Amino acid sequence: MLEVVNLNISNRLSSLSVSVPSGQLVGVIGPNGAGKSTLLKAIAGLTHIEQGQVEYEQTDLRHYSAYKRRQLLSYLPQFSQFNEPVTVAELLQLSQMNIRASSAELARWQKNAMKSFQLDNLSNRPITELSGGEQRRVAIACMATGNRSLMLLDEPVSGLDLYYQLLTMDWLRSRVKQGATVVIALHDLALAAQYCDQILMLDKGEAVAFGDPNDVLSDTNLAHTFQVSVDWLCNDNGVAMLASRLKG
């Protein structure tokens, strides 16, 4: 269980409380500046919490050492910047520094990450020579090499083409089936509706709604938070949406 309790961060989050059961994929949605990235950073321990706390398995994450936090938690920032011409294979290996596991396990996780994100043909290429979308796939694969139980991703499908957006979301669903807890910030409401077990809608640092996607993505909530109306197109293969701005 991941619990955010009365979280306050100046000008970002206000009295935010939410409980995320283990083994779920939770989407965090909201307009620009709603507090999505700040929430993920707070959970990851990357920003100062003025009031409240974040608990994982009934322990305040601030009480974990940096080493212990690295064993259980992985975080993907909204933007990944690569400046050194390290190869993809070397980068995946470097991402496992200080991970407590056998050499065989680490090698297996690297292999699985390479395969999951279809990076074999890029393994010997410097990361600085790859396109933005390819770099994003590598960044997510680096998370996968740690096999952690709590995963935080800030706009992971940004910059990816449709095929790799779906591949990434399918992979996240597979991690949830294996018992991981995944919290992901998304702008694509259709992907959130299709893949997430629960959705947290934020606006101006406050929770508008939290729960089943069908309930959270209501006409009232979308009009209030995004100033849009939406027609949903749903079938067994996925979800699409037609949105229009509200007038006046």
Side-chain angles (χ1 to χ4, degrees):
M1 175 78 76
L2 172 66
E3 290 193 90
V4 175
V5 183
N6 194 33
L7 193 63
N8 284 272
I9 297 176
S10 181
N11 300 318
R12 290 291 184 267
L13 297 173
S14 177
S15 302
L16 181 63
S17 295
V18 63
S19 296
V20 177
S22 298
Q24 286 205 345
L25 174 54
V26 174
V28 184
I29 65 172
N32 295 332
K36 303 183 295 298
S37 296
T38 301
L39 173 59
L40 294 186
K41 288 178 181 178
I43 297 172
L46 299 175
T47 191
H48 174 66
I49 296 176
E50 297 174 358
Q51 182 181 344
Q53 61 191 38
V54 178
E55 296 183 355
Y56 183 63
E57 304 299 352
Q58 299 181 327
T59 300
D60 191 327
L61 280 173
R62 288 174 294 186
H63 296 163
Y64 284 99
S65 66
Y67 175 79
K68 186 173 182 180
R69 189 182 296 116
R70 183 166 173 77
Q71 309 310 309
L72 66 88
L73 182 152
S74 58
Y75 167 73
L76 179 75
Q78 187 173 2
F79 303 105
S80 302
Q81 187 171 1
F82 301 99
N83 297 316
E84 299 297 327
V86 181
T87 68
V88 170
E90 290 170 338
L91 196 59
L92 263 63
Q93 187 173 9
L94 287 170
S95 70
Q96 294 180 317
M97 289 181 63
N98 298 321
I99 296 296
R100 186 175 59 240
S102 67
S103 298
E105 281 182 312
L106 293 174
R108 178 167 56 86
W109 295 343
Q110 284 184 47
K111 183 177 180 180
N112 288 343
M114 193 78 74
K115 180 179 179 181
S116 295
F117 294 95
Q118 301 179 3
L119 298 174
D120 287 324
N121 64 325
L122 303 177
S123 62
N124 295 319
R125 292 183 57 186
I127 186 69
T128 50
E129 293 182 3
L130 303 185
S131 71
E134 289 170 334
Q135 289 186 1
R136 195 61 171 167
R137 283 160 54 200
V138 173
I140 303 169
C142 286
M143 288 188 65
T145 62
N147 203 40
R148 300 172 182 92
S149 60
L150 176 59
M151 304 177 64
L152 312 171
L153 301 94
D154 195 348
E155 295 293 340
V157 300
S158 176
L160 297 182
D161 63 37
L162 183 56
Y163 175 87
Y164 286 111
Q165 288 182 32
L166 298 176
L167 181 147
T168 298
M169 297 303 296
D170 287 339
W171 179 78
L172 291 173
R173 286 282 352 151
S174 72
R175 290 292 294 122
V176 167
K177 289 180 180 179
Q178 295 166 10
T181 300
V182 178
V183 183
I184 174 174
L186 279 173
H187 275 298
D188 191 319
L189 302 186
L191 285 180
Q194 181 176 348
Y195 283 94
C196 294
D197 297 302
Q198 297 193 82
I199 291 177
L200 171 64
M201 181 182 286
L202 297 179
D203 187 29
K204 299 180 179 66
E206 299 182 352
V208 176
F210 177 64
D212 184 273
N214 289 329
D215 297 327
V216 173
L217 297 172
S218 67
D219 292 342
T220 300
N221 287 339
L222 291 172
H224 168 78
T225 304
F226 292 95
Q227 287 79 55
V228 299
S229 62
V230 171
D231 290 322
W232 295 98
L233 308 174
C234 309
N235 60 32
D236 293 338
N237 296 319
V239 179
M241 55 177 279
L242 298 174
S244 58
R245 292 182 296 117
L246 295 177
K247 298 178 181 180

